[in-house]
């Protein structure tokens, strides 16, 4: 029989083991929470339009308000409702003025957009009343108790468009004393698509739409994305692209040797070692895609005036200057330098490339999870409506062949279940394009604005459909550049585009 001292020692040892286990679990939890990147599937963590960081101080910001919205607009028997967040600004409104609506997208709506941005300049010009409606399932607009798959069936563009329609109807009822209320809707990126589709589906409610950087063509394999990223980098310097190709080649060679693997871990400050006995192919694919997406984020938001601190405010010029700076080291060292700059700017201690950790976080259905900032919701929409998978296979020498379309389909399956496979997505993409018209929209009173640097323009309308469905293609500008506040550094063609949109709105309101 053990003595009292031995029993005490055993108890102490067990307590220490439990404490160590708790620490390990906590460490894993912290690592998991750091698994989601700042730029995932072409989406910024704040949404593709992004959080507007004010260029000036504002004494007043409108307070959030709540609209009682229907959960399922296409089932009249379902009477469930929920609270949808919106903002209103009447500061610029004068009787007879129009109603302007900024459509929320795959991120949190913010009051700063109610007092700043190009649409506000138009509101001042046309004496408009301004609203911003947050998209269901994003920000604070939670229609259901959680984000389980059974609840996410209520997350799609059709329900979002109906939300906007019912919101407009309700506001019209409030202001029914006003004659001939004209609504102009604005949106950038996915909300830009919604803006155009509002004119397609609800022309009796929406008089005109400004659709910025909108991908109206759903496509499973979005290969053109990285082709445009490459072309945008080439416009600055062919040598810049050559360095990326050389760095990719060095990266690939190092991955196949234990010493090289250790070098990658150190250079890129990875959270975990690369171990041939533990590391899976999907981990390596995820690592490649994480590093390559750095360039995608830099190009997509190049000089967009939104002060994107999470991407270290790097421009194409900055990134290429670093890549061509031989003092930093060989090409892979320069690639790592940019990666670590972004890592530090986003206040991450290390680069987490483990696929399972990312999937674990994206499987979390609770509203207080990291994935609830929009990652899980947006991936669901790409898996069930749009595709938009930015694959590397069109440029394997530059960005590797490691993240083909199958890599993204596997994520859909691993996050949401086996039914979310390629067959489901092919049918869903066909359905989306059939519902809205893809690149052949039958619509008027819409202006489509795109920038040549923005990879998303490949899925958008860049040539005017008719005189009443105008396209403005701005050479040298990036994603949603026409929506951000103006600065003295704006290109002349960007300034001209903003003026042209204003003239088009004037014609709409005059008729």
């Amino acid at each position: 029989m053990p003595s009292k001292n031995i029993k005490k020692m055993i108890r102490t040892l067990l307590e220490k083991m439990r404490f160590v286990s708790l620490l390990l679990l906590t460490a894993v939890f912290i690592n998991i929470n750091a698994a989601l990147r700042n730029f995932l599937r072409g989406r910024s963590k704040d949404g593709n339009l992004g959080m507007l960081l004010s260029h000036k101080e504002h004494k007043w910001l409108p307070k959030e308000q709540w609209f009682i919205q229907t959960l399922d607009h296409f089932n009249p028997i379902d009477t469930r409702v929920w609270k949808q967040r919106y903002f209103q600004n009447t500061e610029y409104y004068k009787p007879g003025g129009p109603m302007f609506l900024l459509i929320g997208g795959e991120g949190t709506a913010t009051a700063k957009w109610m007092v700043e941005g190009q649409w506000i300049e138009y509101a001042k010009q046309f004496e408009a009343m301004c609203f911003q409606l947050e998209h269901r399932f994003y920000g604070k607009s939670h229609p259901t108790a959680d984000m389980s798959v059974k609840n996410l069936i209520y997350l799609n563009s059709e329900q979002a468009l109906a939300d906007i329609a019912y919101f407009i109807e309700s506001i019209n009822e409030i202001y029914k004393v006003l004659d001939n209320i004209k609504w102009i809707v604005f949106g950038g990126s996915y909300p830009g698509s919604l803006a155009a589709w509002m004119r397609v589906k609800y022309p009796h409610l929406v008089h005109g739409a400004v659709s910025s950087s909108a991908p109206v063509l759903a496509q499973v394999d979005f290969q053109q994305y990285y082709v445009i990223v490459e072309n945008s980098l080439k416009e600055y310097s062919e040598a810049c692209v050559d360095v990326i190709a050389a760095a990719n080649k060095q990266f690939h060679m190092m991955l196949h040797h234990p010493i090289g693997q250790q070098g990658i871990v150190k250079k890129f400050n990875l959270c975990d070692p690369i171990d041939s006995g533990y590391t899976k192919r999907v981990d390596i694919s995820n690592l490649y895609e994480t590093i390559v997406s750095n360039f995608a984020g830099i190009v997509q938001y190049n000089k967009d005036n939104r002060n994107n601190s999470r991407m270290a405010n790097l421009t194409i010029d900055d990134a290429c200057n670093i890549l061509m700076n031989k003092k930093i080291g060989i090409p892979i060292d320069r690639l790592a330098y940019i990666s670590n700059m972004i890592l530090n700017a986003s206040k991450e201690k290390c680069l987490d490339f483990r696929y399972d950790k990312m999937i674990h976080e994206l499987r979390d259905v609770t509203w207080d999870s990291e994935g609830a900032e929009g990652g899980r919701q947006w991936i669901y929409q790409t898996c069930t409506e749009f595709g938009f998978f930015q694959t590397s296979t069109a440029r394997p020498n530059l960005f590797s062949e490691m993240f083909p379309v199958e890599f993204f389909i596997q994520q859909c399956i691993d996050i949401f279940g086996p039914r979310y496979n390629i067959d489901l997505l092919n049918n869903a993409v066909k359905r989306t394009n059939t519902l809205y018209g893809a690149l052949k929209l039958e619509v008027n009173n819409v202006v489509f604005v795109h920038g040549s640097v923005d990879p998303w323009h490949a899925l958008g309308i860049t040539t005017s459909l008719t005189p009443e469905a105008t396209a403005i293609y701005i050479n040298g500008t990036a994603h949603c550049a026409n929506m951000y506040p103006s600065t003295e550094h704006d290109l002349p063609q960007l300034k001209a585009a903003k003026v042209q949109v204003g003239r088009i709105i004037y014609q709409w309101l005059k008729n």
Side-chain angles (χ1 to χ4, degrees):
M1 178 178 274
S3 67
K4 289 183 178 180
N5 288 337
I6 293 175
K7 287 182 178 179
K8 186 176 180 180
M9 287 173 62
I10 291 173
R11 280 199 303 269
T12 303
L13 180 60
L14 287 171
E15 287 173 1
K16 286 183 178 180
M17 288 174 66
R18 281 195 293 268
F19 179 68
V20 170
S21 297
L22 181 61
L23 285 178
L24 288 172
L25 285 171
T26 303
V28 169
F29 179 75
I30 291 170
N31 250 353
I32 287 171
N33 273 351
L36 293 188
R37 305 197 305 265
N38 290 316
F39 194 75
L40 182 65
R41 296 202 182 180
R43 175 191 175 272
S44 167
K45 217 166 190 178
D46 300 314
N48 270 346
L49 180 58
M51 191 73 72
L52 182 65
L53 301 180
S54 293
H55 290 60
K56 53 190 175 182
E57 292 295 325
H58 297 284
K59 295 181 180 178
W60 170 85
L61 289 174
K63 296 186 182 301
E64 62 185 20
Q65 299 185 59
W66 301 92
F67 175 70
I68 303 301
Q69 187 63 267
T70 300
L71 177 63
D72 187 354
H73 294 287
F74 305 104
N75 182 2
I77 300 173
D78 190 341
T79 58
R80 288 175 294 173
V81 295
W82 57 284
K83 292 182 178 179
Q84 187 170 21
R85 191 165 72 127
Y86 74 97
F87 296 94
Q88 180 179 9
N89 184 353
T90 60
E91 182 180 358
Y92 319 116
Y93 178 75
K94 289 186 180 178
M99 302 291 191
F100 281 5
L101 173 63
L102 181 65
I103 298 174
E106 68 293 349
T108 303
T110 170
K112 290 180 181 178
W113 274 107
M114 299 303 298
V115 293
E116 200 168 349
Q118 186 57 40
W119 82 298
I120 292 298
E121 298 307 312
Y122 297 139
K124 294 174 182 176
Q125 178 182 349
F126 298 111
E127 300 174 337
M129 188 180 301
C130 297
F131 297 88
Q132 180 185 182
L133 184 66
E134 191 169 65
H135 195 294
R136 59 168 56 202
F137 283 92
Y138 292 96
K140 295 182 180 180
S141 295
H142 302 166
T144 54
D146 58 32
M147 296 180 292
S148 59
V149 173
K150 69 175 183 179
N151 285 331
L152 287 178
I153 62 170
Y154 302 108
L155 170 58
N156 56 60
S157 56
E158 290 174 273
Q159 295 282 5
L161 292 173
D163 285 343
I164 297 167
Y166 276 84
F167 178 80
I168 289 174
E169 285 276 25
S170 177
I171 299 299
N172 285 344
E173 185 64 25
I174 293 171
Y175 293 96
K176 59 186 175 183
V177 294
L178 303 177
D179 293 327
N180 193 26
I181 299 175
K182 292 181 178 178
W183 284 84
I184 308 295
V185 294
F186 298 79
S189 198
Y190 162 54
S193 304
L194 294 176
W197 295 337
M198 280 300 296
R199 273 294 295 167
V200 173
K201 296 295 184 181
Y202 300 95
H204 61 293
L205 295 176
V206 172
H207 188 67
V210 179
S211 173
S212 301
S213 298
V216 294
L217 172 67
Q219 184 173 292
V220 177
D221 191 349
F222 187 10
Q223 283 193 337
Q224 309 99 301
Y225 188 91
Y226 278 107
V227 174
I228 296 171
V229 169
E230 178 189 5
N231 292 340
S232 297
L233 292 168
K234 271 185 178 178
E235 283 193 19
Y236 181 83
S237 169
E238 185 84 39
C240 177
V241 176
D242 292 341
V243 173
I244 297 173
N248 178 55
K249 188 175 181 180
Q250 291 169 358
F251 194 97
H252 191 70
M253 290 174 62
M254 291 175 71
L255 271 175
H256 289 81
H257 297 87
I259 295 176
Q261 292 169 359
Q262 293 171 21
I264 289 175
V265 172
K266 184 176 181 181
K267 289 178 188 295
F268 288 88
N269 193 20
L270 304 187
C271 298
D272 295 299
I274 299 173
D275 185 337
S276 58
Y278 175 70
T279 306
K280 304 173 184 176
R281 180 180 174 84
V282 286
D283 289 329
I284 301 302
S285 295
N286 204 40
L287 175 57
Y288 265 110
E289 205 243 335
T290 301
I291 293 169
V292 169
S293 69
N294 287 338
F295 293 99
I298 291 167
V299 170
Q300 184 169 308
Y301 294 111
N302 185 55
K303 301 178 182 178
D304 66 356
N305 294 346
R306 75 168 179 161
N307 188 18
N308 188 3
S309 57
R310 278 180 170 161
M311 294 300 290
N313 292 315
L314 285 170
T315 64
I316 292 174
D317 302 12
D318 298 329
C320 284
N321 287 338
I322 291 169
L323 287 169
M324 294 186 294
N325 186 351
K326 294 181 179 179
K327 293 180 181 179
I328 295 174
I330 61 175
I332 195 170
D333 293 330
R334 302 172 221 167
L335 188 71
Y337 188 92
I338 292 175
S339 177
N340 290 323
M341 280 186 70
I342 295 172
L343 200 64
N344 292 332
S346 58
K347 298 179 181 178
E348 299 289 348
K349 292 182 179 180
C350 57
L351 194 156
D352 200 333
F353 69 100
R354 294 295 187 196
Y355 179 83
D356 287 346
K357 290 181 182 178
M358 178 183 75
I359 297 300
H360 180 92
E361 181 59 48
L362 291 169
R363 282 177 177 170
D364 193 332
V365 303
T366 61
W367 286 113
D368 59 356
S369 65
E370 187 185 5
E373 52 75 33
R376 177 175 169 84
Q377 301 96 304
W378 180 238
I379 288 179
Y380 179 82
Q381 288 195 263
T382 63
C383 293
T384 57
E385 285 193 273
F386 307 124
F388 295 160
F389 299 149
Q390 295 107 29
T391 62
S392 62
T393 44
R395 288 295 183 268
N397 292 330
L398 187 64
F399 296 125
S400 92
E401 75 290 351
M402 289 300 296
F403 46 104
V405 70
E406 291 79 10
F407 174 62
F408 297 96
I409 294 295
Q410 190 60 50
Q411 291 176 45
C412 296
I413 293 169
D414 290 342
I415 296 168
F416 303 112
R419 65 176 294 195
Y420 293 85
N421 53 36
I422 186 63
D423 293 331
L424 182 146
L425 183 55
N426 281 332
N427 290 332
V429 164
K430 182 179 180 180
R431 181 177 184 274
T432 298
N433 289 330
T434 301
L435 279 174
Y436 301 125
L439 298 178
K440 297 179 180 179
L441 276 70
E442 292 286 340
V443 70
N444 62 2
N445 281 17
V446 178
V447 56
F448 303 93
V449 188
H450 286 278
S452 66
V453 177
D454 177 23
W456 288 98
H457 82 251
L459 302 183
I461 293 171
T462 56
T463 303
S464 296
L465 300 173
T466 67
E468 290 76 36
T470 307
I472 302 174
Y473 187 65
I474 315 170
N475 189 44
T477 63
H479 201 61
C480 300
N482 63 299
M483 296 188 68
Y484 295 102
S486 299
T487 75
E488 59 185 11
H489 305 296
D490 285 350
L491 295 172
Q493 55 268 35
L494 175 58
K495 294 177 182 178
K498 290 182 176 181
V499 172
Q500 186 179 352
V501 171
R503 289 178 182 148
I504 291 170
I505 294 172
Y506 172 76
Q507 290 299 323
W508 293 341
L509 295 176
K510 191 174 71 170
N511 297 330

